[in-house]
Amino acid sequence: MKGRDEIAQALAASGYIADADLATAISLMQLLRRPLLLEGEAGVGKTEVAKALAKVHATELIRLQCYEGLDQSSALYEWNYQRQLLAIQAHRGSDSIEDQVFSQKYLLERPLLAAIRRPKAPVLLIDEIDRADDEFEAFLLELLSDFQVSIPELGTIPAITIPHVVLTSNGTRELSDALRRRCLYHYVDYPDVDRETRIILARVIGASPSLSLQIARLVEGIRKEELRKVPGIAETLDWAAALVGLDITDLHDAPETVHETLICLLKTHEDRARVTPEVTQRLLGRVA
Amino acid sequence: MSCCGSSPGYDDLDAVSRLVSAKVAAFLRTLRDAGFRVGLAEGQDAATLMSAGFAARPNLLRAAFKHLFSARKADWDKFDGLFDAFWLGKRVRSRSRTVGSSQGANSPSLKGLQDKSAEQGGSQAVADQVPSSDDAPEAGSGEGRMEGASRTDNLADVDFRKLGDPDLVTQAHEAAAQLAKAMRTRLTRRDLARRRGYRLDLRRTIHRNISHGGVPISLVKRQRKDKPLRLVVLLDASGSMSMYTSVFLRFIHGVLDQFREAEAFLFHTRLAYVSDAMKEKDAGRALDRLSIMAQGAGGGTKIGESLQTFNRWHAARVIHSRSCVMIVSDGYETGDAALLGREMAALHRRCRRIVWLNPMMAWEGYTPEARGIKAALPHVDLYAPANSLQSLRALEPYLAKL
């Protein structure tokens, strides 16, 4: 097992600045072979964790985006019906055609089946699990505990490798205790100024340390305002890229541009109206 | 070799590991007492961590245990304190456990509470905006939205408070039941429309048509499980709502009768489960039973505590992801408004939508100033007036969309 410092460094090398807690969680994932459940507000970088993890392990990222009504055939496997029909037509009258068309050759892998059938363990990202139905959650529980799949026509397909599973949830629906208990839990919060500065530096080409620090401080101030939609890290990065693109090196030099470019951070009409030029000025005042 | 001075013998190691196991087990008990849901598998993993060298580094162990034992944000937030208290002997500020202790104090005499809260000016806040029930119908002080309209006796527009005439009340009751029925019919129609669009079940189709040489003669449609919307109604039966309670009781009766899945609760200073009482086919009898359950209320409204009881004891059973919770209340909270906010947030995470119906909302000049409603509003998906049949009908398309 890699130590958490090594993991934090490896994540940083792949562009994800993790805090010590998250590095511990990832080292535990490997030690205990449990899925990692990441919960937190939208935009705090939950999905990015899985992407970075795939880079660290130099392996494939298989993503299952959950939505209401997601069922087994979209998540697990499906038969290739067109090819099956063609094969049946071509071998009309053959007795063994039924066995043939329900063989691996005609099986279409969907993310979950793909994840357990890869020769090298991939990272399986089950994104926004809270959007899926209760039934799907229960089904997932079975898959995640046994890592094998039953296909009526083929029998049981065991896992070749056990994937590194990351689940994310925005907390829009309460997940079942059974699922929570199977997972390691990590709450992803908005980053502090220091971490956000490092994230900007790592991700935005051309951002200077002093500008990155100013941006991180101002975003921290904005998050404390009463907003309907608090800006996440992706928004911060957009804004930083916009400022760098406009050749701004110090926020105090161009308060008007700063205010105008806040559209990168504020995504609702009310929030835009709430952060007036005066508010921007006040926030800028706190940014040393 | 085993007798070398400092290295512990087999028995010593055994004793140490037993000691550690006992300590971990005690910690698990502490966590369970604090509301963590920790099972045997977590206990085994904790032992694995202890033997993997985590025990020597308290900070690392705390972080590892935190990920292992927490399952939700609430656990996450209180874990460090519990860990430090147990393993490092630090003092943490004790948090009073919920439920139980406060409940006894609430229940004994509703009448007594009513009097007490009246004395304490508990209803003072109510009086700020709500005219007293006696003079309301004739007050004519411009508080009803329909005040300016001509007296056409269009029942749909009449504020429930003004329904003094028994005939009108009966009509209102009938209309409320019809509305509940309409909501249900609308939903069913929608279900059917959706069903027409269902895809073929190609796997079954192919299985069935192999004997036809693969020509899909007999088609199998994918059957989708019917998942009805569940409506959970929480009706405020406190004094400030007394003018509206009877109409809403009738409405709830209609809802329970018409919806395939519906549950109802009443609350004032405590929460009462009334679905069973309302499932009486005879509307009159059902209302009698309910009126008895709602009686004696009127002394303050503890919405937060009632919701806490609901979340703690009923939510897991009556709420699933296709549930819409409908709270009918004026939002005058005489208890802890912050608690109300917290419980609303918890409720909102569980269900699909929260609809808050406020009869006072249609009043001219009404603004949600009461502490309770202010704390609750951020967690409400639809905040609507419900003082007349018209306003209830306006909800239909919204409910049909759920």
Side-chain angles (χ1 to χ4, degrees), chain A residues 162-182:
Chain A
I162 307 271
H164 312 276
V165 185
V166 176
L167 300 103
T168 72
S169 163
N170 289 338
T172 56
R173 174 174 69 81
E174 189 70 12
L175 301 174
S176 72
D177 281 338
L179 182 72
R180 287 179 182 277
R181 279 195 37 212
R182 283 225 45 79

Side-chain angles (χ1 to χ4, degrees), chain B residues 1-12:
Chain B
M1 287 222 285
S2 62
C3 60
C4 288
S6 59
S7 80
Y10 180 79
D11 287 346
D12 293 337

Side-chain angles (χ1 to χ4, degrees), chain A:
Chain A
M1 186 198 77
K2 283 186 186 174
R4 65 172 171 178
D5 297 339
E6 282 171 277
I7 286 172
Q9 279 169 17
L11 286 171
S14 68
Y16 191 93
I17 310 298
D19 57 13
D21 261 0
L22 181 63
T24 306
I26 290 171
S27 70
L28 287 181
M29 262 177 96
Q30 291 157 25
L31 180 70
L32 303 174
R33 304 184 78 122
R34 279 175 182 251
L36 175 64
L37 169 62
L38 298 175
E39 211 169 36
E41 298 291 322
V44 291
K46 301 185 290 293
T47 306
E48 290 298 314
V49 175
K51 290 182 183 166
L53 197 57
K55 280 190 193 156
V56 167
H57 288 294
T59 189
E60 187 186 356
L61 172 73
I62 297 178
R63 178 174 180 168
L64 175 66
Q65 173 66 50
C66 297
Y67 54 88
E68 200 190 333
L70 176 67
D71 59 1
Q72 281 196 36
S73 63
S74 316
L76 192 57
Y77 72 91
E78 184 75 289
W79 290 105
N80 190 338
Y81 301 112
Q82 288 88 342
R83 289 191 64 189
Q84 280 182 324
L85 282 169
L86 282 173
I88 295 168
Q89 297 271 358
H91 299 88
R92 194 176 289 192
S94 162
D95 288 341
S96 61
I97 187 64
E98 183 165 357
D99 293 338
Q100 281 181 40
V101 293
F102 288 108
S103 63
Q104 300 248 3
K105 192 177 159 190
Y106 296 91
L107 194 65
L108 291 176
E109 283 180 346
R110 298 290 189 230
L112 295 181
L113 184 60
I116 62 167
R117 304 268 293 158
R118 290 284 188 267
K120 181 176 184 187
V123 172
L124 171 62
L125 167 64
I126 301 174
D127 217 1
E128 306 195 37
I129 176 67
D130 48 335
R131 287 180 189 271
D133 302 322
D134 303 347
E135 292 88 347
F136 185 77
E137 198 185 307
F139 155 74
L140 203 59
L141 204 63
E142 195 185 337
L143 179 86
L144 292 182
S145 58
D146 296 340
F147 286 105
Q148 62 176 32
V149 172
S150 290
I151 298 178
E153 295 88 349
L154 284 182
T156 305
I157 298 188
I160 295 172
T161 50
I162 307 271
H164 312 276
V165 185
V166 176
L167 300 103
T168 72
S169 163
N170 289 338
T172 56
R173 174 174 69 81
E174 189 70 12
L175 301 174
S176 72
D177 281 338
L179 182 72
R180 287 179 182 277
R181 279 195 37 212
R182 283 225 45 79
C183 302
L184 295 166
Y185 179 85
H186 182 82
Y187 186 80
V188 189
D189 219 334
Y190 290 108
D192 55 22
V193 170
D194 174 49
R195 193 156 79 87
E196 195 149 28
T197 307
R198 286 189 291 142
I199 293 172
I200 299 168
L201 277 172
R203 300 290 287 272
V204 181
I205 299 161
S208 68
S210 65
L211 179 70
S212 303
L213 181 63
Q214 286 184 338
I215 292 172
R217 283 194 177 144
L218 199 130
V219 171
E220 189 198 34
I222 280 209
R223 288 197 184 116
K224 285 180 185 156
E225 297 292 310
E226 275 190 25
L227 297 179
R228 243 184 75 186
K229 163 109 187 50
V230 178
I233 297 171
E235 280 84 11
T236 308
L237 293 176
D238 284 349
W239 189 47
L243 292 172
V244 169
L246 292 168
D247 288 334
I248 288 172
T249 49
D250 190 308
L251 296 186
H252 296 105
D253 293 346
E256 282 171 19
T257 316
V258 167
H259 181 71
E260 282 159 16
T261 49
L262 284 182
I263 49 169
C264 299
L265 297 178
L266 306 168
K267 299 295 177 70
T268 73
H269 179 63
E270 290 103 307
D271 291 351
R272 194 81 189 97
R274 194 162 289 159
V275 181
T276 55
E278 292 73 42
V279 174
T280 309
Q281 200 62 47
R282 169 166 57 81
L283 290 170
L284 266 175
R286 287 188 204 155
V287 177

